[in-house]
Amino acid sequence: MEKIDLRDAACFGVAGNFTGHLEQAGEAQNFKELKIADASAPKALFPTYIPGTKNESPAKAAPAFLNVFPFDSEKIVFPKNEEKVQIEPEMAIVFDAKWENKKIVGLEPLFFGASNDVSIRKEGALKISVKKNWGPSSKGFSSQAIKVLPGIFDRYRIASYLSRDGKLYEYGENSPVNGYSYFGKKLKDWLLEKFNGQEDLGPAEDIHSYLEAANFPKKIFVSVGATRYSAFGRENFLRSGDDSIVALYPDSYSKEEIEEIILSGKGAEGLSLLRQRVVL
C-alpha cells in the first residue's frame, strides 16, 4: 500500500461514466448542449485541483479556487450555506503523463484507490468544478493506494456506505470496477482527447489551458466516475457527524466480509478504504 501526495498533481473527475448516475443526481439536463456521438460515453472531464501557475505562460490559468488543495483522507468540511451534499463513490487512478509539443500523448497508470468526489447538489452552478472544490477537505482519496499491475482492475469492486448514529447504510450500489462505461484503453483514449481538446462549453472547461499554465504537470489524478446510488443514497444527504465510507476491494472478499471489516475498523490485504468524518 502507498500514500500518494497529490499536491503536485493536476486532479480531475469524469462526469457520467456509470449509466444512470447523472439522472439520479438530477444533473443530466446540464449536459444537453454538449454534442456527444456515443450515447454511452462520459459527458465531460472536470477539474477539481490544479497546482498553482508556475510560469508566465500565455495560457489561461485555472480559477483561483482550483489552486486550493481539497483532498483529505480523514474528514469532509461541510460547505457553508449549503444543504445538499452527497458522497460520490469512485475509483481514482494516478497517471504519469507524457507530454510532447504541449500535448499529452501518453498516460501510464501507476496507482489506484478509493475516492470520494463529494458534490454539492444545487441549481444555477454552470461549471461542474464549482460544486466540487469549495476549499480544504472537500474531496477524498484513500491513504491506501494500490500499485497497478496487469489485469488487477478486473478483480476489484466499489462499495460505499454512510455511518450514522452507529448504523451502517449502503449509499451506492456495490459495483465492479469494469462496470464503468469507459475503462481501460477506451477510457485512456477518451481522456487524451479531453485533456488536449475539450472546449469551454456549458458545464465543461478548457482544461488544456489550465495544464499549460501549470507548466504541464506530469502527475495526473483522475477519479473515474461515481457509481449509481442506493435508495438510501438518493434520498439522504450528508450531515455533521456522519462517516462517509468508500471501499475499493478485491472480489475475493464478500460484501458481508467488507462490511464486517468496516465495522471493526481494521484493515485488510488489498483493500483501499476511505473513511471521512463530516464536520461543520
Side-chain angles (χ1 to χ4, degrees):
M1 293 290 183
E2 300 279 345
K3 185 171 183 178
I4 307 297
D5 187 354
L6 296 176
R7 292 182 184 275
D8 60 346
C11 301
F12 300 88
V14 177
N17 198 20
F18 229 106
T19 303
H21 171 79
L22 289 176
E23 287 76 11
Q24 286 184 333
E27 297 194 351
Q29 69 276 8
N30 296 338
F31 299 89
K32 285 183 178 179
E33 62 182 295
L34 299 182
K35 295 179 180 179
I36 300 169
D38 180 1
S40 68
K43 303 300 180 277
L45 186 62
F46 57 86
T48 54
Y49 168 70
I50 304 293
T53 301
K54 299 175 182 177
N55 62 12
E56 297 301 322
S57 167
K60 178 184 174 184
F65 74 89
L66 285 173
N67 298 147
V68 177
F69 187 71
F71 289 89
D72 194 319
S73 61
E74 297 181 353
K75 68 179 182 292
I76 299 167
V77 174
F78 204 90
K80 293 180 180 180
N81 304 317
E82 297 293 346
E83 296 180 354
K84 296 182 177 181
V85 178
Q86 283 183 300
I87 302 168
E88 293 227 339
E90 312 195 14
M91 185 190 77
I93 303 174
V94 179
F95 293 95
D96 179 68
K98 182 181 179 182
W99 290 87
E100 288 183 5
N101 299 319
K102 299 184 178 182
K103 300 287 186 181
I104 300 181
V105 296
L107 291 167
E108 180 185 356
L110 303 177
F111 299 95
F112 68 104
S115 172
N116 187 359
D117 195 32
V118 199
S119 189
I120 302 170
R121 303 299 178 206
K122 65 185 201 178
E123 297 181 4
L126 178 60
K127 299 302 184 185
I128 305 170
S129 56
V130 303
K131 297 180 281 188
K132 299 291 186 177
N133 184 339
W134 57 85
S137 304
S138 56
K139 308 240 77 57
F141 183 57
S142 174
S143 60
Q144 303 157 329
I146 303 164
K147 187 176 181 179
V148 174
L149 298 171
I152 195 169
F153 293 126
D154 292 337
R155 300 191 288 110
Y156 270 79
R157 300 186 66 86
I158 307 168
S160 62
Y161 299 89
L162 185 145
S163 178
R164 175 178 289 170
D165 300 327
K167 294 182 180 180
L168 195 65
Y169 300 92
E170 190 170 16
Y171 203 84
E173 292 183 4
N174 188 296
S175 305
V177 164
N178 58 17
Y180 280 112
S181 297
Y182 274 36
F183 202 65
K185 184 181 184 301
K186 195 173 186 179
L187 176 63
K188 282 206 290 184
D189 289 346
W190 181 87
L191 289 172
L192 289 171
E193 177 187 339
K194 296 302 173 184
F195 280 132
N196 293 320
Q198 180 169 279
E199 297 180 358
D200 186 343
L201 179 66
E205 295 172 66
D206 175 7
I207 52 180
H208 183 269
S209 66
Y210 299 170
L211 293 170
E212 183 176 347
N215 202 28
F216 312 107
K218 285 197 68 179
K219 188 188 293 182
I220 301 284
F221 169 97
V222 179
S223 209
V224 178
T227 62
R228 289 181 293 272
Y229 291 117
S230 67
F232 178 88
R234 287 196 300 272
E235 298 170 4
N236 286 270
F237 300 99
L238 294 177
R239 301 178 193 164
S240 182
D242 287 345
D243 278 350
S244 162
I245 301 160
V246 182
L248 191 67
Y249 67 95
D251 57 14
S252 53
Y253 295 101
S254 68
K255 178 183 172 185
E256 291 72 24
E257 287 174 324
I258 290 299
E259 291 175 355
E260 288 177 9
I261 290 167
I262 290 170
L263 290 169
S264 71
K266 297 178 181 178
E269 184 177 355
L271 170 67
S272 178
L273 184 65
L274 175 63
R275 186 171 192 141
Q276 297 168 282
R277 174 62 55 90
V278 180
V279 296
L280 293 178

